[in-house]
Amino acid sequence: MLEVQGLAKRYGDAAVFRDVSMAVAPGEFVAIVGESGVGKSTLLNCMAGLDRWDEGRVVVDGTDLATLDDEGRALLRRAKLGFVFQAFHVLPHLDVAQNVGLPLLLQQRPDDARVQAMLEAVGLAGLGARLPQELSGGQLQRVAIARALVHAPKLLLADEPTGNLDPATASRVLEVLRTQAKDSGAALVLVTHSDHAATLADRVLRLQADGIRA
């Protein structure tokens, strides 16, 4: 589902990372760990085509991102990718159900039944009419997970999704993320500094300036 081959990213003469190669199969959960500042979030953005790289290839579901222009990458993300971020990124003026349904609305295929099913799957049944400010941090992150999965993406990318949560809530949220990704068959790539989060993955990779190691 995801192939990264010989990827390198530089800012001026300074290499953020180089010689990064990895592959993630459908339904597989891979965690990427590494020291702060080594470029984990930058690598995730490259996988999504949100950031440019200097060498190598990124292939998502058979499509080489380098062959797409900005619009093409945006359309691919809309159809095949889901995102879960540390900062939740919910829209405060929309209720929970509207936030979850946004990916379907962008694809012009609204589906209230699918939204409600996702809310139930992440433990938020009955909360669709609430506004984000009425929810806890753990609930907001589950909204973000439901939103990321509602359109059945092939690839799910999660960037420190429990960084703003207490340990107990973080554990519950990670279990929801892992279970829902597995049930949907999505490939899941998690960037984290949490050793506990990494233990839930099928594989753990360590990002270093000169590549990525198992």
Side-chain angles (χ1 to χ4, degrees), residues 10-212:
R10 290 186 293 271
Y11 290 119
D13 295 330
V16 181
F17 53 75
R18 58 183 174 83
D19 196 28
V20 172
S21 296
M22 59 180 288
V24 186
E28 187 179 18
F29 176 8
V30 173
I32 298 176
V33 300
E35 295 180 3
S36 179
V38 78
K40 299 186 299 295
S41 294
T42 300
L43 176 59
L44 206 69
N45 286 339
C46 289
M47 292 175 182
L50 289 168
D51 206 345
R52 301 286 177 174
W53 53 92
D54 297 290
E55 298 173 14
R57 302 172 70 226
V58 177
V59 181
V60 175
D61 195 24
T63 300
D64 187 339
L65 297 190
T67 66
L68 303 176
D69 59 14
D70 288 344
E71 182 180 2
R73 292 185 185 194
L75 291 173
L76 181 140
R77 285 192 294 270
R78 188 178 299 176
K80 297 187 177 183
L81 270 64
F83 298 87
V84 183
F85 300 101
Q86 179 176 341
F88 314 140
H89 291 309
V90 297
L91 298 180
H93 59 286
L94 299 181
D95 65 30
V96 166
Q98 290 169 330
N99 268 285
V100 172
L102 269 178
L104 295 173
L105 195 62
L106 289 172
Q107 294 183 27
Q108 298 182 346
R109 53 183 186 100
D111 187 338
D112 290 341
R114 172 67 177 169
V115 169
Q116 295 306 317
M118 284 306 312
L119 288 174
E120 183 173 356
V122 300
L124 296 177
L127 300 185
R130 293 196 183 182
L131 291 172
Q133 54 265 37
E134 300 178 86
L135 303 185
S136 68
Q139 289 173 322
L140 287 171
Q141 195 57 286
R142 282 184 278 163
V143 171
I145 292 170
R147 181 183 58 194
L149 287 164
V150 72
H151 60 303
K154 300 289 187 71
L155 175 62
L156 185 63
L157 303 175
D159 190 0
E160 298 283 9
T162 59
N164 289 329
L165 305 177
D166 64 83
T169 302
S171 293
R172 292 194 294 270
V173 165
L174 282 170
E175 184 58 30
V176 170
L177 178 62
R178 184 184 69 84
T179 300
Q180 292 304 314
K182 186 73 71 175
D183 289 349
S184 70
L188 170 59
V189 179
L190 168 73
V191 160
T192 184
H193 64 270
S194 166
D195 291 336
H196 171 66
T199 63
L200 298 176
D202 301 317
R203 281 192 294 140
V204 179
L205 302 177
R206 180 166 295 276
L207 181 63
Q208 300 170 326
D210 61 347
I212 199 162

